[in-house]
Amino acid sequence: MTTSNKQILQPADWLAPRGYANAVAATGRQIFVAGQIGWNGQCQFESDDFVAQVRQALLNIKALLAEAGANAEHITRMTWYLLDKREYVARGREVGQVYREVLGREYGIAMTAVQVAGLIEDRAKVEIEVTAVIA
């Protein structure tokens, strides 16, 4: 499957992943978005709720991509750093809903999620970094 300047790499005999891609190839200008947490552009948290922080982090990513003329379809890689993997799994439907609201149904992204012992900002519950490529 190819969209814009990226190609989803999926061996024919592999089960297709749900909500992400195992690998992505892309050509063009690379954009590296630093880890975004759940605070607004003025570095202020509006909520301590996990899903609200996911929404804000994704909105931050969307805004930064727009500065480069990019959008969700240009994302090739996304890494999630989570304080609590159990909350991420338990609230998966809500996370998915927020993801679709902010980034649409772009799942051609090589994604990784890991649980970490802590994040630099004490109130942060999630940090998400992105790599995007535009033609």
Side-chain angles (χ1 to χ4, degrees):
M1 176 175 142
T2 303
T3 57
S4 64
N5 60 320
K6 68 181 185 181
Q7 176 187 12
I8 309 307
L9 307 175
Q10 178 67 27
D13 60 338
W14 283 27
L15 183 63
R18 221 173 121 216
Y20 65 95
N22 283 309
V24 177
T27 57
R29 180 173 169 227
Q30 298 178 22
I31 303 156
F32 303 94
V33 179
Q36 296 299 302
I37 59 176
W39 64 15
N40 62 29
Q42 288 68 50
C43 302
Q44 297 172 340
F45 287 95
E46 297 175 7
S47 176
D48 288 318
D49 177 71
F50 173 71
V51 174
Q53 287 195 14
V54 167
R55 172 183 273 116
Q56 186 61 59
L58 293 174
L59 287 168
N60 296 347
I61 289 165
K62 186 175 181 178
L64 290 164
L65 290 175
E67 288 293 310
N71 58 44
E73 79 174 21
H74 299 107
I75 299 172
T76 56
R77 183 165 185 76
M78 180 180 278
T79 304
W80 295 57
Y81 301 94
L82 310 160
L83 286 185
D84 185 350
K85 70 179 183 178
R86 286 181 179 85
E87 182 169 26
Y88 175 78
V89 171
R91 299 187 72 190
R93 286 187 186 272
E94 294 170 88
V95 169
Q97 181 179 351
V98 164
Y99 180 96
R100 288 186 299 279
E101 287 172 10
V102 177
L103 298 181
R105 295 190 176 273
E106 180 54 53
Y107 301 117
I109 301 170
M111 290 191 199
T112 301
V114 295
Q115 180 173 298
V116 296
L119 298 168
I120 298 301
E121 293 297 326
D122 288 336
R123 287 181 66 186
K125 296 187 176 206
V126 61
E127 186 166 338
I128 306 169
E129 67 180 10
V130 160
T131 301
V133 181
I134 56 178

